[in-house]
Amino acid sequence: MTTYRTHIQQRRYQDKLFVLETIRDLDEAIDQLCAELGEDGEKDPFAEDLCPYFGILWPAAEGLAQFLSERPELVKGKSVLELGSGLGLPSLVAHHLGAKVLTTDFHPEVESYFHRNCRHSNFDNIAYRRFNWRDSAEDIGQFDVVMGSDILYESKHPQEVAQGLVRFLRPGGCILLADQGRNYLPTFLEAIKREGLSYLKEIEIVQGKEIQIFSMMAE
């Protein structure tokens, strides 16, 4: 496991202060990873399962956390799955609001950061599993709410993400997706329609940016 320089960020939602340990400088972390992998030419530091993009508190994750805090009824008493969680702020907020949460990501270093952030925010460890959204629902089951933030950053993602979100959704459940306007968002929305879901778009403002929040349910 690579040891990156980190710092602490705090966010307050409702009555709860959430404390997150994040990577201090993403460019520095990538340079560090490149240096560590330099002797192994077969490893690509920009591969999805190596690059430390997970360690940044992205605005879309904040937007989804904010959205949940304003609508606790969406998750209270429900089973919730977060895909591609990164630091897991939306999972922490959903847990605080009374959801039974399973947090997942494929990056091998996410689990350590996520459990650290559970402790920083005075939560017992929330259930976590290293998981690829391309895998079968038989591995983890289906959920009342399936959510993700800023997970449409590669050309191959829109169709795969749409299928994955639907695969893990219980009948009558809801998908929540936060996006800051990535290029592949329109393609994803077309794929969601093909999966038989309709959606409602709302806006959250984070750090002066518009974050689009989509609530998707079967028609």
Side-chain angles (χ1 to χ4, degrees), residues 64 67-68 74-75 78-81 83 143-149 151 161-178 188-189 191-193 195-202 213-218:
L64 182 54
F67 181 83
L68 293 174
L74 290 177
V75 294
K78 297 181 180 179
S79 61
V80 174
L81 170 68
L83 296 173
F143 297 79
D144 300 317
V145 178
V146 180
M147 63 183 185
S149 60
I151 55 178
V161 171
Q163 292 172 344
L165 292 170
V166 172
R167 185 182 311 129
F168 305 117
L169 188 66
R170 282 180 179 163
C174 177
I175 293 169
L176 300 174
L177 183 120
F188 166 79
L189 295 175
I192 277 293
K193 289 180 179 179
E195 294 293 329
L197 276 71
S198 59
Y199 60 84
L200 174 68
K201 182 178 82 171
E202 299 179 69
I213 311 290
F214 296 90
S215 303
M216 296 165 271
M217 291 179 287

Side-chain angles (χ1 to χ4, degrees), residues 104-203:
T104 66
D105 199 292
F106 191 63
H107 195 289
E109 296 186 80
V110 166
E111 183 173 11
S112 174
Y113 279 78
F114 178 66
H115 285 320
R116 238 179 283 176
N117 288 330
C118 289
R119 294 192 294 273
H120 290 325
S121 296
N122 295 315
F123 294 134
D124 293 333
N125 279 347
I126 298 167
Y128 179 89
R129 180 166 175 177
R130 187 182 180 200
F131 188 74
N132 190 320
W133 61 50
R134 302 174 182 88
D135 292 341
S136 169
E138 294 179 1
D139 293 333
I140 59 172
Q142 293 182 311
F143 297 79
D144 300 317
V145 178
V146 180
M147 63 183 185
S149 60
D150 207 2
I151 55 178
L152 301 172
Y153 48 84
E154 289 189 12
S155 60
K156 62 185 178 181
H157 282 170
Q159 184 65 43
E160 291 181 347
V161 171
Q163 292 172 344
L165 292 170
V166 172
R167 185 182 311 129
F168 305 117
L169 188 66
R170 282 180 179 163
C174 177
I175 293 169
L176 300 174
L177 183 120
D179 192 272
Q180 59 188 48
R182 297 285 187 185
N183 291 338
Y184 302 115
L185 178 60
T187 307
F188 166 79
L189 295 175
E190 292 172 3
I192 277 293
K193 289 180 179 179
R194 289 196 296 272
E195 294 293 329
L197 276 71
S198 59
Y199 60 84
L200 174 68
K201 182 178 82 171
E202 299 179 69
I203 300 293

